[in-house]
Amino acid sequence: MSNKTKYSIDSKGFYGEFGGAYVPEILYKCVTDLQQAYLPIIESDSFQQEYRALLRDYVGRPSPLYEARRMSEKYGCRLFLKREDLNHTGAHKINNTIGQILMARKMGKTRIIAETGAGQHGVATATVCALMGMRCEVFMGKTDVERQKTNVERMKMLGAEVHPVTTGNMTLSDACSEAIRDWCCHPQDTYYLVGSTMGPHPYPDIVARMQSIISEEIKQQLMEKTGRDYPDCLVACVGGGSNAAGTIYHYIDDERVRIVLAEAGGSGIDTDRTAATMHRGTVGIIHGARSLVMQTADGQIEEAFTISAGLDYPGIGPMHADLAQRGRTEILAVNDDEAIYAGYELTRMEGIIPAIESAHAIAALSKISFSKDDIVVLTVSGRGDKDVQTYLNNKQMAKEYGQF
Ligand SMILES: *Cc1c(COP(=O)(O)O)cnc(C)c1O
């Protein structure tokens, strides 16, 4: 696990030229404490025992690896779906929050803060705080509070306090800034539970390790189902990058495995309504890390647009910026209409309603050429119950795009 390889994070928290910890002076101690504490905690037997027991008995892992026969036939490959949609709370995010809450407790923290966009990470955080009896405060842009009512209600029911953020565009990026500001005021007792492979070092590495259970299971499950433990191709969607990081973690250095990641093109990468950070971003600092950022010429962060609330982020984790820059991953932009269409397609062909985020990964399949024996693993990062209204509202968009 700690063997350094070509794509590993270095001791200062950099993946190539991306990453690091660009934080205000007041957080310096918090961040360096965490940098020193996280690996010994994650690698300890007591952590691993508790983490794995909760993943099994509370989250419901291992999540199934399902061979999707009708979709396989359509795309001319052997397509396996990694079913993160079947986890407790409906997505991969709980893998990370379970791990980090255990870490926070080991570090003696008593108050948990988190940022959330669509509310999925807020719900996953509020869930584990209820489980551990810890205080939970969630920062969420006021715009998102209004458009994601059900998740706000779930968080409140779970006992969390939700703070609507009224700065900037009042969306995810502003919620992140506000969470960092709160952390500055309460560095002693507060643990900032980051929801994706972003933020200052060590967060991207922490979150990637917490999600790496996904590829650990894929290895074992592929071995059982196909007689070999690696696929020809991995496919996942990327917002901040956590489900993708988990999907590829144990295959990054295995060059036999092609990696295709789908980011949200919104209305198109040539329009100003896009969230395709790896196509459109330039190098900058966002939320404590050097990465690719959608920004104006003078460095103001630009708002991201996509139909998918969970991919609506103007940055990208440093690990992914590096992998893309070095050509280890192929990045495809998937537009709103393609994603909606793909969501209907999976629903009608396999009886699985995916989250719109995950539908971006499905849509990538039509942009990749396969040979018939190729083994392809695609992570369905979450379920689409939260998105049914959006699918129905945009059915026309999908119909214009293709038949189903
Ligand atoms: C939050 C979310 C994403 C995007 O986040 P990543 O950190 O890039 O994985 C993708 N899918 C679902 C279902 C989500 O809830």
Side-chain angles (χ1 to χ4, degrees):
M1 203 159 165
S2 52
N3 291 344
K4 284 270 175 285
T5 68
K6 193 169 160 191
Y7 300 106
S8 296
I9 190 168
D10 72 17
S11 60
K12 295 210 160 60
F14 280 88
Y15 301 84
E17 64 167 295
F18 301 110
Y22 298 83
V23 294
E25 185 66 35
I26 191 159
L27 286 183
Y28 184 77
K29 187 170 182 309
C30 281
V31 168
T32 48
D33 285 351
L34 191 57
Q35 287 169 359
Q36 278 155 20
Y38 85 105
L39 283 179
I41 291 177
I42 293 177
E43 285 166 3
S44 70
D45 287 343
S46 64
F47 173 89
Q48 284 295 330
Q49 270 171 20
E50 207 171 355
Y51 174 59
R52 284 170 188 270
L54 284 168
L55 289 183
R56 186 187 64 227
D57 302 330
Y58 187 75
V59 175
R61 302 202 73 90
S63 64
L65 185 71
Y66 165 70
E67 185 163 6
R69 300 197 187 269
R70 295 187 64 203
M71 293 281 282
S72 293
E73 196 162 315
K74 168 154 190 193
Y75 289 104
C77 63
R78 277 186 82 182
L79 176 66
F80 291 86
L81 303 177
K82 182 59 173 162
R83 300 289 309 277
E84 295 301 299
D85 58 309
L86 295 177
N87 293 340
H88 178 47
T89 71
H92 66 290
K93 289 198 168 74
I94 191 91
N95 304 328
N96 171 48
T97 57
I98 290 269
Q100 285 198 58
I101 195 108
L102 293 176
M103 190 142 81
R105 211 180 49 184
K106 285 210 190 290
M107 293 178 73
K109 305 291 182 179
T110 54
R111 175 177 177 264
I112 303 295
I113 59 168
E115 83 293 336
T116 197
Q120 295 298 108
H121 175 57
V123 169
T125 304
T127 300
V128 297
C129 286
L131 179 69
M132 298 294 164
M134 275 161 92
R135 194 169 146 203
C136 181
E137 296 183 38
V138 178
F139 296 90
M140 186 171 186
K142 187 161 161 284
T143 311
D144 290 331
V145 170
E146 284 158 10
R147 59 183 180 185
Q148 306 289 341
K149 276 214 172 63
T150 320
N151 278 339
V152 174
E153 281 157 9
R154 288 166 84 192
M155 285 184 258
K156 287 183 176 163
M157 185 165 171
L158 287 159
E161 204 177 317
V162 179
H163 300 291
V165 174
T166 56
T167 50
N169 299 311
M170 309 190 206
T171 57
L172 175 61
S173 184
D174 312 293
C176 291
S177 306
E178 202 54 39
I180 291 174
R181 226 165 277 145
D182 177 285
W183 196 23
C184 290
C185 301
H186 309 91
Q188 295 296 327
D189 65 338
T190 296
Y191 182 89
Y192 178 18
L193 205 161
V194 172
S196 189
T197 42
M198 46 173 255
H201 173 59
Y203 282 108
D205 193 35
I206 290 176
V207 178
R209 284 169 188 266
M210 298 307 180
Q211 294 292 358
S212 68
I213 186 72
I214 298 174
S215 49
E216 187 182 310
E217 290 174 2
I218 291 172
K219 275 199 146 171
Q220 219 169 36
Q221 292 168 320
L222 271 185
M223 193 61 176
E224 284 162 18
K225 289 178 197 298
T226 70
R228 72 176 218 215
D229 70 353
Y230 68 95
D232 296 291
C233 183
L234 287 168
V235 185
C237 66
V238 261
S242 70
N243 86 87
T247 302
I248 70 178
Y249 195 87
H250 292 289
Y251 294 111
I252 292 176
D253 295 297
D254 186 344
E255 306 276 353
R256 295 171 300 187
V257 181
R258 180 177 173 190
I259 301 173
V260 179
L261 304 180
E263 62 175 358
S267 305
I269 56 170
D270 301 323
T271 71
D272 54 9
R273 297 184 64 83
T274 184
T277 311
M278 283 184 280
H279 282 86
R280 285 282 298 271
T282 50
V283 176
I285 308 284
I286 183 165
H287 301 121
R290 185 179 155 88
S291 191
L292 294 173
V293 190
M294 298 207 303
Q295 55 189 335
T296 61
D298 51 1
Q300 292 299 306
I301 292 170
E302 289 185 295
E303 197 175 0
F305 285 96
T306 149
I307 199 161
S308 158
L311 303 180
D312 205 352
Y313 183 60
I316 176 67
M319 169 186 172
H320 295 293
D322 178 54
L323 292 173
Q325 191 190 61
R326 293 207 253 171
R328 176 65 185 100
T329 55
E330 295 163 55
I331 312 296
L332 301 177
V334 168
N335 295 348
D336 291 350
D337 55 352
E338 300 172 306
I340 295 286
Y341 176 79
Y344 272 100
E345 183 180 79
L346 186 69
T347 302
R348 298 291 172 90
M349 291 186 72
E350 300 287 349
I352 297 169
I353 304 178
I356 293 182
E357 293 83 4
S358 320
H360 285 70
I362 311 280
L365 291 173
S366 65
K367 301 171 189 271
I368 311 170
S369 51
F370 298 113
S371 43
K372 209 169 82 15
D373 300 329
D374 278 355
I375 293 170
V376 179
V377 175
L378 181 150
T379 295
V380 180
S381 54
R383 59 176 167 247
D385 305 30
K386 67 186 179 58
D387 298 320
V388 169
Q389 201 54 54
T390 311
Y391 279 124
L392 290 175
N393 291 346
N394 293 285
K395 191 166 176 187
Q396 196 52 38
M397 188 194 264
K399 283 206 157 139
E400 280 160 23
Y401 185 75
Q403 291 293 316
F404 55 80

